[in-house]
Amino acid sequence: LPRDLDLGSLGFDRGAHVLVKHALHDLEIGDRLRVVGTSAELPVHLRAWCRAQGHGFEPGGQGGDVVRGAAEAGRWKGSERTGHPDPAREGAVVPHPPGRWGLAARGARVEAGGPDFRFGLSAKDVVWAEEIPRLYAQAAAAQWDPAKAIPWDTPFQLPDEIEDAVVQVMTYLIENETAALILPAKFAGDLHPHFREVMQLLAIQAADEARHIEVFTRRAVLRKGTPGLSTVGGQASLKTLLDEPDFALAMFLLSVLGEGSFLSLLWFMRDNAPDPVTREVATLTAQDEARHVAFGLAHLSRHVGLHPEMRGRLAAAIQERHAALQQTAGLNEEVFDALVLLAAGEWDPEAIGRGHDRVAALQQEMGEGREKRLRRLGFGEEEARTLSELHTRNFM
Ligand SMILES: [Fe+2]
Ligand SMILES: [Fe+2]
C-alpha cells in the first residue's frame, strides 16, 4: 500500500519538495508515496523533481505516485564519499585526494561534475604526519593575548646602550619572523583542504608568527620609538627561504634548521634579558617555536621514512643555499655585538669577555641542536655535522 502525502495548496514553487523528501525518507527503494494537492502545476513539477532526484513517477489524480529510487540515483549518481572527518579512522585521509573534491568537508559526499581545483600540495606523503591533529589542538589551546600576557607597563630602567642592543635584536627578530609567517601562509594557500589538520596547523603557525611580529615590534619601539638596522646579509638569507618553491625543502630549511636555531636564540634572550618585558616576550615566543619545529620534524621524518631518497634532496638544499649565501656576511655584526652586550650586562672587560663566551656557547648549542634534528631525519653523524655547519650564519 502506498503512503499518502497531502500537500494541500502548497506547490513546488513554495517548498513542497521538502515535504516529499521527508515522506520518502523512511521508505525502502521501490516503495510508493501517493502525493495529492490542489496546486495546478503539481503533477508537472512533481514529475520533473522525481526525474532530477532519480525517483520513479506515475501520474494520477491531482498529483501522482512517487516510486522511491536508489539513494545514489539522480543528482547523487556518481557522487563520492571523501574519506572521513576522524583522521584516526582507516582510510580517513587518502593518499591523493582529487581536485574535484575541492573545498568540501573531509568525509562529505561530493556531487559529481563539480569544478576541478588545482592544489599543488595534494600528496599525503609530502604533507601528512600522525602528530599533526594533536599539534594543532595544542597550538589552538596555547594562543596567548599579546596585550595581557606581556607585562608592558612594568617599570624598568636600562642604560642607553643596553636598550639599543635590545632594539637591534628585536629588529632582527622581526624580519626573521616575517619570513616565518609568509612561508606557512603561502603553502596553506596551495594545500588540498582534504588535509584539514595540516591546513589548520599552517594557518595557526602563521597566526603565531603574527603575534611574534607584534610583540617584538612593541618591545623594539617601547622606549626609543623606532626599530634598528636591517642588513643585506640577513635579508639575502631570508630571501633564499621565500624563493624555495618546494614545500618539503622550504619547511626543512625554515623549521628544522632555522626555527630550531631560533629556539636556542630565544632561550638565550630569555636567560639574558635585561628587563621583564624582553624576558616574557622571549619566553612566550620560544614556546610557540618549539611547536613549529615539532611540526617540521614530524612531517619530514614521515616523508623521509617513506621516501629515503628524499634525504639527498634535503642535503642538496642546504648545500645550494650555502653556495648562494657564500658571498654575504650572514649574521650582522650589530646583532652579534648586541647579543654579547646583553649577555655581558655591563661595559667591563671581564663582563664583555664573559658575554662573548656565552654567545659562542649559544652558537655551539644551535649547531648541536641542528645536528640532533638532522640525526632524527636519518642523517649519519658525520653528514649531520657537515650539513649543520653549512647552515646560514644568519641563524634563520
Ligand atoms: Fe616565531
Ligand atoms: Fe616559528
Side-chain angles (χ1 to χ4, degrees):
L1 270 181
R3 293 236 202 128
D4 291 316
L5 173 65
D6 188 349
L7 292 170
S9 63
L10 185 70
F12 271 70
D13 55 336
R14 289 186 56 241
H17 71 281
V18 176
L19 287 175
V20 178
K21 243 188 201 171
H22 177 65
L24 284 170
H25 192 74
D26 296 333
L27 299 190
E28 300 292 330
I29 293 167
D31 283 356
R32 280 167 183 270
L33 175 72
R34 180 151 295 162
V35 181
V36 295
T38 59
S39 158
E41 293 87 8
L42 179 61
V44 174
H45 286 169
L46 186 57
R47 171 194 292 276
W49 183 84
C50 285
R51 183 172 299 157
Q53 301 291 319
H55 301 299
F57 179 72
E58 283 166 25
Q62 290 170 296
D65 280 4
V66 178
V67 183
R68 196 197 192 294
E72 291 209 11
R75 272 179 61 210
W76 297 101
K77 193 172 176 184
S79 65
E80 293 169 276
R81 183 66 75 185
T82 57
H84 193 277
D86 178 1
R89 284 264 203 119
E90 182 77 26
V93 180
V94 306
H96 294 282
R100 63 179 180 272
W101 288 4
L103 311 178
R106 192 175 68 228
R109 180 171 287 285
V110 172
E111 191 178 0
D116 190 18
F117 290 76
R118 294 290 153 90
F119 296 114
L121 286 169
S122 57
K124 184 181 180 182
D125 283 1
V126 176
V127 300
W128 190 256
E130 309 309 324
E131 296 93 325
I132 286 175
R134 181 178 51 79
L135 285 171
Y136 170 71
Q138 276 178 6
Q143 298 294 300
W144 39 272
D145 177 355
K148 293 187 189 134
I150 313 284
W152 299 110
D153 299 329
T154 309
F156 64 84
Q157 204 60 53
L158 294 183
D160 219 33
E161 291 94 338
I162 301 279
E163 176 64 21
D164 286 342
V166 172
V167 170
Q168 185 51 49
V169 174
M170 293 296 144
T171 305
Y172 160 82
L173 289 172
I174 293 162
E175 64 187 40
N176 283 274
E177 297 293 324
T178 301
L181 181 153
I182 290 172
L183 277 186
K186 180 176 90 173
F187 290 118
D190 199 31
L191 176 78
H192 198 305
H194 180 72
F195 306 110
R196 186 187 77 230
E197 295 83 353
V198 182
M199 179 177 71
Q200 291 170 306
L201 191 53
L202 287 169
I204 208 159
Q205 188 162 323
D208 286 341
E209 307 300 9
R211 272 183 292 107
H212 298 180
I213 291 167
E214 176 184 347
V215 295
F216 292 146
T217 301
R218 282 177 75 162
R219 178 59 191 95
V221 303
L222 190 63
R223 292 289 155 89
K224 299 247 171 174
T226 47
L229 307 162
S230 170
T231 64
V232 171
Q235 299 238 27
S237 179
L238 297 176
K239 187 165 185 298
T240 58
L241 289 180
L242 300 198
D243 287 346
E244 175 53 66
D246 184 276
F247 172 73
L249 300 184
M251 295 306 272
F252 170 66
L253 295 173
L254 172 76
S255 299
V256 176
L257 301 178
E259 290 177 311
S261 304
F262 256 52
L263 255 185
S264 301
L265 177 62
L266 293 168
W267 289 331
F268 178 94
M269 288 302 291
R270 175 197 64 197
D271 297 341
N272 294 284
D275 63 86
V277 172
T278 302
R279 188 176 310 121
E280 201 52 33
V281 159
T283 304
L284 289 172
T285 53
Q287 284 168 12
D288 294 337
E289 289 310 330
R291 264 195 331 269
H292 303 173
V293 177
F295 170 42
L297 273 174
H299 71 84
L300 283 160
S301 38
R302 186 178 186 276
H303 193 163
V304 294
L306 294 167
H307 304 279
E309 73 281 3
M310 182 66 195
R311 250 174 239 122
R313 293 185 60 214
L314 296 179
I318 297 181
Q319 282 150 354
E320 278 164 33
R321 189 175 184 213
H322 175 74
L325 293 174
Q326 211 156 24
Q327 304 309 320
T328 68
L331 182 68
N332 69 62
E333 195 183 309
E334 288 76 10
V335 171
F336 185 87
D337 294 351
L339 294 174
V340 170
L341 184 55
L342 289 175
E346 53 186 327
W347 295 105
D348 170 275
E350 207 167 305
I352 292 294
R354 204 171 48 233
H356 196 276
D357 293 345
R358 284 192 192 165
V359 176
L362 164 66
Q363 287 173 301
Q364 170 107 13
E365 185 192 315
M366 286 174 163
E368 285 164 3
R370 285 193 298 269
E371 277 176 49
K372 193 183 78 190
R373 292 177 192 108
L374 287 164
R375 297 291 306 276
R376 276 193 52 192
L377 293 181
F379 288 97
E381 201 172 328
E382 193 69 30
E383 197 177 14
R385 187 172 315 119
T386 311
L387 290 173
S388 167
E389 279 165 11
L390 292 181
H391 182 64
T392 172
R393 282 161 293 173
N394 184 57
F395 303 156
M396 179 78 85

PDB file of all heavy atoms in Angstrom, residues 176-177 180-181 184 205-206 208-209 212 254-255 258-259 262 266 285 288-293 396, ligand 2:
ATOM      1  N   ASN A 176      63.034  38.162  10.559  1.00  0.00           N
ATOM      2  CA  ASN A 176      63.055  36.698  10.500  1.00  0.00           C
ATOM      3  C   ASN A 176      61.659  36.116  10.710  1.00  0.00           C
ATOM      4  O   ASN A 176      61.245  35.173  10.031  1.00  0.00           O
ATOM      5  CB  ASN A 176      64.029  36.151  11.544  1.00  0.00           C
ATOM      6  CG  ASN A 176      65.471  36.300  11.110  1.00  0.00           C
ATOM      7  OD1 ASN A 176      66.011  35.470  10.416  1.00  0.00           O
ATOM      8  ND2 ASN A 176      66.094  37.412  11.490  1.00  0.00           N
ATOM      9  N   GLU A 177      60.904  36.669  11.653  1.00  0.00           N
ATOM     10  CA  GLU A 177      59.539  36.206  11.918  1.00  0.00           C
ATOM     11  C   GLU A 177      58.632  36.471  10.718  1.00  0.00           C
ATOM     12  O   GLU A 177      57.670  35.744  10.469  1.00  0.00           O
ATOM     13  CB  GLU A 177      58.965  36.910  13.155  1.00  0.00           C
ATOM     14  CG  GLU A 177      59.710  36.624  14.439  1.00  0.00           C
ATOM     15  CD  GLU A 177      59.586  35.173  14.878  1.00  0.00           C
ATOM     16  OE1 GLU A 177      58.514  34.585  14.686  1.00  0.00           O
ATOM     17  OE2 GLU A 177      60.572  34.639  15.399  1.00  0.00           O
ATOM     18  N   ALA A 180      59.025  33.739   8.488  1.00  0.00           N
ATOM     19  CA  ALA A 180      58.390  32.565   9.105  1.00  0.00           C
ATOM     20  C   ALA A 180      56.867  32.635   9.030  1.00  0.00           C
ATOM     21  O   ALA A 180      56.193  31.610   9.147  1.00  0.00           O
ATOM     22  CB  ALA A 180      58.831  32.427  10.561  1.00  0.00           C
ATOM     23  N   LEU A 181      56.312  33.824   8.840  1.00  0.00           N
ATOM     24  CA  LEU A 181      54.855  33.955   8.632  1.00  0.00           C
ATOM     25  C   LEU A 181      54.504  33.692   7.165  1.00  0.00           C
ATOM     26  O   LEU A 181      53.548  32.985   6.849  1.00  0.00           O
ATOM     27  CB  LEU A 181      54.392  35.361   9.038  1.00  0.00           C
ATOM     28  CG  LEU A 181      52.882  35.661   8.911  1.00  0.00           C
ATOM     29  CD1 LEU A 181      52.467  36.739   9.905  1.00  0.00           C
ATOM     30  CD2 LEU A 181      52.460  36.100   7.518  1.00  0.00           C
ATOM     31  N   PRO A 184      54.490  29.532   5.808  1.00  0.00           N
ATOM     32  CA  PRO A 184      53.306  28.684   6.055  1.00  0.00           C
ATOM     33  C   PRO A 184      52.033  29.265   5.435  1.00  0.00           C
ATOM     34  O   PRO A 184      51.184  28.510   4.973  1.00  0.00           O
ATOM     35  CB  PRO A 184      53.202  28.611   7.583  1.00  0.00           C
ATOM     36  CG  PRO A 184      54.101  29.659   8.117  1.00  0.00           C
ATOM     37  CD  PRO A 184      55.129  29.954   7.070  1.00  0.00           C
ATOM     38  N   GLN A 205      50.084  28.481  12.709  1.00  0.00           N
ATOM     39  CA  GLN A 205      51.510  28.822  12.791  1.00  0.00           C
ATOM     40  C   GLN A 205      51.732  30.235  12.244  1.00  0.00           C
ATOM     41  O   GLN A 205      52.477  31.021  12.832  1.00  0.00           O
ATOM     42  CB  GLN A 205      52.335  27.794  12.007  1.00  0.00           C
ATOM     43  CG  GLN A 205      53.826  27.953  12.202  1.00  0.00           C
ATOM     44  CD  GLN A 205      54.599  26.700  11.797  1.00  0.00           C
ATOM     45  OE1 GLN A 205      54.144  25.578  12.009  1.00  0.00           O
ATOM     46  NE2 GLN A 205      55.756  26.882  11.206  1.00  0.00           N
ATOM     47  N   ALA A 206      51.055  30.563  11.146  1.00  0.00           N
ATOM     48  CA  ALA A 206      51.151  31.928  10.614  1.00  0.00           C
ATOM     49  C   ALA A 206      50.610  32.928  11.643  1.00  0.00           C
ATOM     50  O   ALA A 206      51.173  34.012  11.831  1.00  0.00           O
ATOM     51  CB  ALA A 206      50.383  32.033   9.290  1.00  0.00           C
ATOM     52  N   ASP A 208      50.635  32.491  14.897  1.00  0.00           N
ATOM     53  CA  ASP A 208      51.672  32.584  15.947  1.00  0.00           C
ATOM     54  C   ASP A 208      52.706  33.640  15.547  1.00  0.00           C
ATOM     55  O   ASP A 208      53.092  34.490  16.350  1.00  0.00           O
ATOM     56  CB  ASP A 208      52.418  31.244  16.112  1.00  0.00           C
ATOM     57  CG  ASP A 208      51.597  30.168  16.826  1.00  0.00           C
ATOM     58  OD1 ASP A 208      50.617  30.511  17.513  1.00  0.00           O
ATOM     59  OD2 ASP A 208      51.962  28.980  16.695  1.00  0.00           O
ATOM     60  N   GLU A 209      53.149  33.556  14.291  1.00  0.00           N
ATOM     61  CA  GLU A 209      54.198  34.488  13.835  1.00  0.00           C
ATOM     62  C   GLU A 209      53.664  35.927  13.805  1.00  0.00           C
ATOM     63  O   GLU A 209      54.416  36.867  14.050  1.00  0.00           O
ATOM     64  CB  GLU A 209      54.728  34.084  12.447  1.00  0.00           C
ATOM     65  CG  GLU A 209      55.193  32.644  12.318  1.00  0.00           C
ATOM     66  CD  GLU A 209      56.330  32.231  13.255  1.00  0.00           C
ATOM     67  OE1 GLU A 209      56.686  33.010  14.172  1.00  0.00           O
ATOM     68  OE2 GLU A 209      56.851  31.120  13.075  1.00  0.00           O
ATOM     69  N   HIS A 212      54.177  37.056  17.171  1.00  0.00           N
ATOM     70  CA  HIS A 212      55.600  37.275  17.440  1.00  0.00           C
ATOM     71  C   HIS A 212      56.044  38.611  16.856  1.00  0.00           C
ATOM     72  O   HIS A 212      56.757  39.376  17.508  1.00  0.00           O
ATOM     73  CB  HIS A 212      56.443  36.139  16.859  1.00  0.00           C
ATOM     74  CG  HIS A 212      56.123  34.798  17.461  1.00  0.00           C
ATOM     75  ND1 HIS A 212      56.757  33.641  17.098  1.00  0.00           N
ATOM     76  CD2 HIS A 212      55.214  34.440  18.416  1.00  0.00           C
ATOM     77  CE1 HIS A 212      56.259  32.624  17.799  1.00  0.00           C
ATOM     78  NE2 HIS A 212      55.316  33.088  18.585  1.00  0.00           N
ATOM     79  N   LEU A 254      63.333  26.151   6.858  1.00  0.00           N
ATOM     80  CA  LEU A 254      62.722  27.079   7.824  1.00  0.00           C
ATOM     81  C   LEU A 254      62.588  26.447   9.208  1.00  0.00           C
ATOM     82  O   LEU A 254      63.088  26.997  10.194  1.00  0.00           O
ATOM     83  CB  LEU A 254      61.337  27.531   7.336  1.00  0.00           C
ATOM     84  CG  LEU A 254      60.544  28.345   8.363  1.00  0.00           C
ATOM     85  CD1 LEU A 254      61.085  29.764   8.460  1.00  0.00           C
ATOM     86  CD2 LEU A 254      59.049  28.380   8.040  1.00  0.00           C
ATOM     87  N   SER A 255      61.890  25.322   9.296  1.00  0.00           N
ATOM     88  CA  SER A 255      61.501  24.802  10.614  1.00  0.00           C
ATOM     89  C   SER A 255      62.605  24.007  11.295  1.00  0.00           C
ATOM     90  O   SER A 255      62.970  24.289  12.430  1.00  0.00           O
ATOM     91  CB  SER A 255      60.258  23.917  10.490  1.00  0.00           C
ATOM     92  OG  SER A 255      59.196  24.676   9.980  1.00  0.00           O
ATOM     93  N   GLY A 258      66.142  26.540  10.677  1.00  0.00           N
ATOM     94  CA  GLY A 258      66.017  27.944  11.104  1.00  0.00           C
ATOM     95  C   GLY A 258      65.323  28.111  12.447  1.00  0.00           C
ATOM     96  O   GLY A 258      65.888  28.652  13.398  1.00  0.00           O
ATOM     97  N   GLU A 259      64.082  27.634  12.533  1.00  0.00           N
ATOM     98  CA  GLU A 259      63.342  27.794  13.787  1.00  0.00           C
ATOM     99  C   GLU A 259      63.987  26.979  14.908  1.00  0.00           C
ATOM    100  O   GLU A 259      63.935  27.371  16.075  1.00  0.00           O
ATOM    101  CB  GLU A 259      61.873  27.416  13.590  1.00  0.00           C
ATOM    102  CG  GLU A 259      61.143  28.434  12.723  1.00  0.00           C
ATOM    103  CD  GLU A 259      59.690  28.062  12.427  1.00  0.00           C
ATOM    104  OE1 GLU A 259      59.461  26.903  12.026  1.00  0.00           O
ATOM    105  OE2 GLU A 259      58.826  28.926  12.579  1.00  0.00           O
ATOM    106  N   PHE A 262      66.517  29.191  16.144  1.00  0.00           N
ATOM    107  CA  PHE A 262      65.864  30.307  16.845  1.00  0.00           C
ATOM    108  C   PHE A 262      65.401  29.917  18.245  1.00  0.00           C
ATOM    109  O   PHE A 262      65.333  30.768  19.129  1.00  0.00           O
ATOM    110  CB  PHE A 262      64.688  30.833  16.012  1.00  0.00           C
ATOM    111  CG  PHE A 262      65.013  32.121  15.326  1.00  0.00           C
ATOM    112  CD1 PHE A 262      66.164  32.220  14.554  1.00  0.00           C
ATOM    113  CD2 PHE A 262      64.205  33.241  15.457  1.00  0.00           C
ATOM    114  CE1 PHE A 262      66.504  33.413  13.937  1.00  0.00           C
ATOM    115  CE2 PHE A 262      64.533  34.446  14.841  1.00  0.00           C
ATOM    116  CZ  PHE A 262      65.679  34.536  14.075  1.00  0.00           C
ATOM    117  N   LEU A 266      66.071  32.283  21.325  1.00  0.00           N
ATOM    118  CA  LEU A 266      65.021  32.834  22.203  1.00  0.00           C
ATOM    119  C   LEU A 266      65.257  32.429  23.657  1.00  0.00           C
ATOM    120  O   LEU A 266      65.005  33.225  24.576  1.00  0.00           O
ATOM    121  CB  LEU A 266      63.634  32.401  21.715  1.00  0.00           C
ATOM    122  CG  LEU A 266      63.239  33.008  20.353  1.00  0.00           C
ATOM    123  CD1 LEU A 266      61.998  32.324  19.789  1.00  0.00           C
ATOM    124  CD2 LEU A 266      63.019  34.511  20.462  1.00  0.00           C
ATOM    125  N   THR A 285      57.387  33.399  22.980  1.00  0.00           N
ATOM    126  CA  THR A 285      57.625  33.077  21.565  1.00  0.00           C
ATOM    127  C   THR A 285      58.383  31.750  21.441  1.00  0.00           C
ATOM    128  O   THR A 285      58.111  30.974  20.523  1.00  0.00           O
ATOM    129  CB  THR A 285      58.399  34.205  20.851  1.00  0.00           C
ATOM    130  OG1 THR A 285      59.585  34.504  21.592  1.00  0.00           O
ATOM    131  CG2 THR A 285      57.556  35.467  20.739  1.00  0.00           C
ATOM    132  N   ASP A 288      56.021  28.776  21.407  1.00  0.00           N
ATOM    133  CA  ASP A 288      55.384  28.561  20.098  1.00  0.00           C
ATOM    134  C   ASP A 288      56.373  27.938  19.117  1.00  0.00           C
ATOM    135  O   ASP A 288      56.031  27.023  18.361  1.00  0.00           O
ATOM    136  CB  ASP A 288      54.873  29.885  19.519  1.00  0.00           C
ATOM    137  CG  ASP A 288      53.737  30.484  20.333  1.00  0.00           C
ATOM    138  OD1 ASP A 288      53.052  29.734  21.053  1.00  0.00           O
ATOM    139  OD2 ASP A 288      53.521  31.717  20.238  1.00  0.00           O
ATOM    140  N   GLU A 289      57.606  28.447  19.114  1.00  0.00           N
ATOM    141  CA  GLU A 289      58.605  27.946  18.154  1.00  0.00           C
ATOM    142  C   GLU A 289      58.854  26.454  18.332  1.00  0.00           C
ATOM    143  O   GLU A 289      59.094  25.734  17.363  1.00  0.00           O
ATOM    144  CB  GLU A 289      59.934  28.697  18.288  1.00  0.00           C
ATOM    145  CG  GLU A 289      59.931  30.139  17.794  1.00  0.00           C
ATOM    146  CD  GLU A 289      59.363  30.336  16.411  1.00  0.00           C
ATOM    147  OE1 GLU A 289      59.463  29.433  15.557  1.00  0.00           O
ATOM    148  OE2 GLU A 289      58.783  31.401  16.167  1.00  0.00           O
ATOM    149  N   ALA A 290      58.817  25.991  19.589  1.00  0.00           N
ATOM    150  CA  ALA A 290      59.055  24.571  19.833  1.00  0.00           C
ATOM    151  C   ALA A 290      58.028  23.731  19.064  1.00  0.00           C
ATOM    152  O   ALA A 290      58.349  22.675  18.518  1.00  0.00           O
ATOM    153  CB  ALA A 290      58.991  24.274  21.328  1.00  0.00           C
ATOM    154  N   ARG A 291      56.784  24.234  19.003  1.00  0.00           N
ATOM    155  CA  ARG A 291      55.739  23.519  18.240  1.00  0.00           C
ATOM    156  C   ARG A 291      56.025  23.559  16.744  1.00  0.00           C
ATOM    157  O   ARG A 291      55.780  22.591  16.023  1.00  0.00           O
ATOM    158  CB  ARG A 291      54.378  24.160  18.508  1.00  0.00           C
ATOM    159  CG  ARG A 291      53.555  23.505  19.569  1.00  0.00           C
ATOM    160  CD  ARG A 291      52.108  23.972  19.518  1.00  0.00           C
ATOM    161  NE  ARG A 291      51.933  25.292  19.004  1.00  0.00           N
ATOM    162  CZ  ARG A 291      51.905  26.408  19.727  1.00  0.00           C
ATOM    163  NH1 ARG A 291      52.052  26.355  21.020  1.00  0.00           N
ATOM    164  NH2 ARG A 291      51.739  27.589  19.148  1.00  0.00           N
ATOM    165  N   HIS A 292      56.515  24.712  16.264  1.00  0.00           N
ATOM    166  CA  HIS A 292      56.794  24.832  14.832  1.00  0.00           C
ATOM    167  C   HIS A 292      57.882  23.833  14.419  1.00  0.00           C
ATOM    168  O   HIS A 292      57.811  23.208  13.367  1.00  0.00           O
ATOM    169  CB  HIS A 292      57.239  26.259  14.483  1.00  0.00           C
ATOM    170  CG  HIS A 292      56.239  27.301  14.882  1.00  0.00           C
ATOM    171  ND1 HIS A 292      56.479  28.652  14.808  1.00  0.00           N
ATOM    172  CD2 HIS A 292      54.979  27.186  15.384  1.00  0.00           C
ATOM    173  CE1 HIS A 292      55.421  29.316  15.241  1.00  0.00           C
ATOM    174  NE2 HIS A 292      54.499  28.455  15.594  1.00  0.00           N
ATOM    175  N   VAL A 293      58.885  23.700  15.276  1.00  0.00           N
ATOM    176  CA  VAL A 293      59.965  22.755  14.997  1.00  0.00           C
ATOM    177  C   VAL A 293      59.415  21.318  15.019  1.00  0.00           C
ATOM    178  O   VAL A 293      59.733  20.502  14.150  1.00  0.00           O
ATOM    179  CB  VAL A 293      61.112  22.911  16.022  1.00  0.00           C
ATOM    180  CG1 VAL A 293      62.202  21.877  15.769  1.00  0.00           C
ATOM    181  CG2 VAL A 293      61.692  24.332  15.961  1.00  0.00           C
ATOM    182  N   MET A 396      68.516  31.955  10.714  1.00  0.00           N
ATOM    183  CA  MET A 396      67.222  31.572  10.115  1.00  0.00           C
ATOM    184  C   MET A 396      67.391  31.477   8.621  1.00  0.00           C
ATOM    185  O   MET A 396      67.806  32.416   7.988  1.00  0.00           O
ATOM    186  CB  MET A 396      66.148  32.608  10.448  1.00  0.00           C
ATOM    187  CG  MET A 396      64.786  32.306   9.859  1.00  0.00           C
ATOM    188  SD  MET A 396      63.857  31.047  10.742  1.00  0.00           S
ATOM    189  CE  MET A 396      63.067  32.028  12.029  1.00  0.00           C
TER     190      MET A 396
HETATM  191 FE    FE B   2      58.013  29.942  14.026  1.00  0.00          FE
END
